[in-house]
Amino acid sequence: QGQLVESGGGLVQAGGSLRLSCVASGRTFSSYGMGWFRQAPGKEREFVAGINWSGGSTYYADSVKGRFTISRDNAKNTVYLQMNSLKPEETAVYYCAASTLLRGIVAAATLYDYWGQGTQVTVSS
Protein backbone atom coordinates (compact mmCIF):
# COMPACT_ATOMS: atom_id res chain seq x y z
CA GLN A 1 0.00 0.00 0.00
CA GLY A 2 1.49 3.29 -1.07
CA GLN A 3 1.86 6.55 0.76
CA LEU A 4 2.66 10.08 -0.39
CA VAL A 5 4.24 12.61 1.93
CA GLU A 6 4.59 16.28 1.00
CA SER A 7 7.08 18.74 2.42
CA GLY A 8 8.46 22.16 1.68
CA GLY A 9 5.49 24.34 2.49
CA GLY A 10 5.74 27.40 4.67
CA LEU A 11 5.36 31.14 4.87
CA VAL A 12 6.71 33.28 2.04
CA GLN A 13 6.28 36.86 0.96
CA ALA A 14 4.49 37.73 -2.24
CA GLY A 15 6.88 37.35 -5.15
CA GLY A 16 8.87 34.69 -3.35
CA SER A 17 9.53 31.07 -4.15
CA LEU A 18 9.02 27.68 -2.58
CA ARG A 19 9.84 24.16 -3.69
CA LEU A 20 7.48 21.40 -2.64
CA SER A 21 8.51 17.77 -2.58
CA CYS A 22 6.39 14.64 -2.55
CA VAL A 23 8.04 11.38 -1.60
CA ALA A 24 6.32 8.09 -2.33
CA SER A 25 6.80 5.03 -0.17
CA GLY A 26 5.34 1.58 0.12
CA ARG A 27 5.13 1.11 -3.64
CA THR A 28 6.53 2.68 -6.74
CA PHE A 29 4.61 5.27 -8.69
CA SER A 30 7.21 5.60 -11.42
CA SER A 31 4.84 4.11 -14.01
CA TYR A 32 2.00 6.50 -13.34
CA GLY A 33 0.92 10.08 -13.76
CA MET A 34 1.24 12.38 -10.78
CA GLY A 35 0.04 15.83 -9.97
CA TRP A 36 -0.28 18.70 -7.56
CA PHE A 37 -3.55 20.21 -6.38
CA ARG A 38 -4.36 22.96 -3.92
CA GLN A 39 -7.29 23.90 -1.74
CA ALA A 40 -7.82 27.29 -0.18
CA PRO A 41 -10.20 27.81 2.76
CA GLY A 42 -13.79 27.74 1.61
CA LYS A 43 -12.87 26.75 -1.93
CA GLU A 44 -12.84 23.53 -3.88
CA ARG A 45 -9.67 21.60 -4.53
CA GLU A 46 -8.16 22.70 -7.83
CA PHE A 47 -5.65 21.22 -10.22
CA VAL A 48 -2.26 22.96 -10.33
CA ALA A 49 0.09 20.80 -12.40
CA GLY A 50 0.43 17.27 -13.74
CA ILE A 51 3.26 15.15 -15.08
CA ASN A 52 3.29 11.90 -17.00
CA TRP A 53 5.08 8.75 -15.87
CA SER A 54 8.42 9.58 -17.48
CA GLY A 55 8.45 13.28 -16.76
CA GLY A 56 8.54 14.01 -20.46
CA SER A 57 5.17 15.74 -20.52
CA THR A 58 3.72 18.31 -18.17
CA TYR A 59 0.51 20.31 -17.95
CA TYR A 60 -0.37 23.37 -15.90
CA ALA A 61 -3.39 25.31 -14.84
CA ASP A 62 -3.50 28.61 -16.70
CA SER A 63 -3.11 30.52 -13.46
CA VAL A 64 0.37 29.08 -12.78
CA LYS A 65 1.83 28.73 -16.27
CA GLY A 66 5.25 30.30 -16.54
CA ARG A 67 5.67 30.48 -12.76
CA PHE A 68 5.37 26.88 -11.52
CA THR A 69 7.35 23.86 -12.68
CA ILE A 70 6.52 20.25 -11.94
CA SER A 71 9.21 17.60 -12.23
CA ARG A 72 9.91 14.10 -11.01
CA ASP A 73 12.83 11.86 -10.13
CA ASN A 74 11.65 8.28 -10.46
CA ALA A 75 14.87 6.93 -9.00
CA LYS A 76 13.99 8.79 -5.80
CA ASN A 77 10.24 8.21 -6.04
CA THR A 78 9.83 11.96 -5.71
CA VAL A 79 7.81 14.64 -7.45
CA TYR A 80 8.57 18.32 -7.09
CA LEU A 81 6.70 21.57 -7.57
CA GLN A 82 8.86 24.67 -7.96
CA MET A 83 6.74 27.74 -7.33
CA ASN A 84 8.01 31.18 -8.26
CA SER A 85 6.45 34.65 -8.09
CA LEU A 86 3.92 33.48 -5.55
CA LYS A 87 0.78 35.52 -4.95
CA PRO A 88 -1.25 35.93 -1.74
CA GLU A 89 -4.27 34.34 -3.40
CA GLU A 90 -2.25 31.16 -3.81
CA THR A 91 -2.31 30.57 -0.08
CA ALA A 92 -3.66 27.05 0.28
CA VAL A 93 -2.94 23.51 1.31
CA TYR A 94 -1.05 21.85 -1.50
CA TYR A 95 -1.59 18.16 -2.16
CA CYS A 96 0.42 15.63 -4.11
CA ALA A 97 -1.50 12.88 -5.87
CA ALA A 98 -0.82 9.78 -7.94
CA SER A 99 -3.04 8.07 -10.46
CA THR A 100 -2.46 4.35 -10.88
CA LEU A 101 -5.16 4.38 -13.54
CA LEU A 102 -3.15 6.22 -16.15
CA ARG A 103 0.45 6.73 -17.25
CA GLY A 104 -0.25 10.10 -18.79
CA ILE A 105 -1.10 13.51 -17.42
CA VAL A 106 -4.24 13.59 -15.31
CA ALA A 107 -6.04 16.82 -14.47
CA ALA A 108 -9.23 15.46 -12.93
CA ALA A 109 -9.00 14.90 -9.19
CA THR A 110 -11.43 11.99 -9.44
CA LEU A 111 -8.87 10.01 -11.44
CA TYR A 112 -6.26 10.14 -8.68
CA ASP A 113 -6.37 7.29 -6.20
CA TYR A 114 -3.47 8.18 -3.90
CA TRP A 115 -3.22 11.47 -2.03
CA GLY A 116 -0.78 12.99 0.41
CA GLN A 117 -1.80 14.72 3.61
CA GLY A 118 -1.02 18.15 2.23
CA THR A 119 1.43 20.92 3.07
CA GLN A 120 0.41 24.47 3.92
CA VAL A 121 1.66 27.31 1.75
CA THR A 122 1.00 30.82 3.03
CA VAL A 123 1.86 33.82 0.89
CA SER A 124 1.86 37.14 2.72
CA SER A 125 1.20 40.43 0.99
Side-chain angles (χ1 to χ4, degrees):
Q1 191 166 359
Q3 185 179 12
L4 302 174
V5 178
E6 302 97 334
S7 62
L11 174 64
V12 64
Q13 288 189 335
S17 298
L18 282 175
R19 188 193 195 202
L20 305 183
S21 298
C22 171
V23 179
S25 62
R27 65 167 293 172
T28 180
F29 293 98
S30 59
S31 298
Y32 305 108
M34 297 191 70
W36 287 93
F37 289 75
R38 64 189 179 192
Q39 186 167 18
K43 295 188 177 181
E44 293 186 355
R45 189 170 298 189
E46 65 172 349
F47 171 81
V48 175
I51 191 166
N52 75 331
W53 70 276
S54 69
S57 295
T58 57
Y59 181 72
Y60 299 91
D62 287 343
S63 59
V64 307
K65 280 181 182 176
R67 299 186 297 116
F68 289 15
T69 303
I70 187 171
S71 61
R72 68 190 299 165
D73 185 340
N74 285 341
K76 296 182 178 180
N77 263 341
T78 303
V79 176
Y80 305 96
L81 184 67
Q82 176 67 44
M83 305 185 295
N84 299 328
S85 301
L86 282 161
K87 306 173 181 179
E89 56 265 36
E90 294 180 309
T91 293
V93 177
Y94 283 69
Y95 297 91
C96 170
S99 173
T100 62
L101 304 177
L102 297 167
R103 291 165 64 88
I105 297 172
V106 183
T110 54
L111 293 178
Y112 285 89
D113 48 350
Y114 286 86
W115 291 85
Q117 83 290 348
T119 184
Q120 176 70 46
V121 171
T122 302
V123 186
S124 63
S125 56

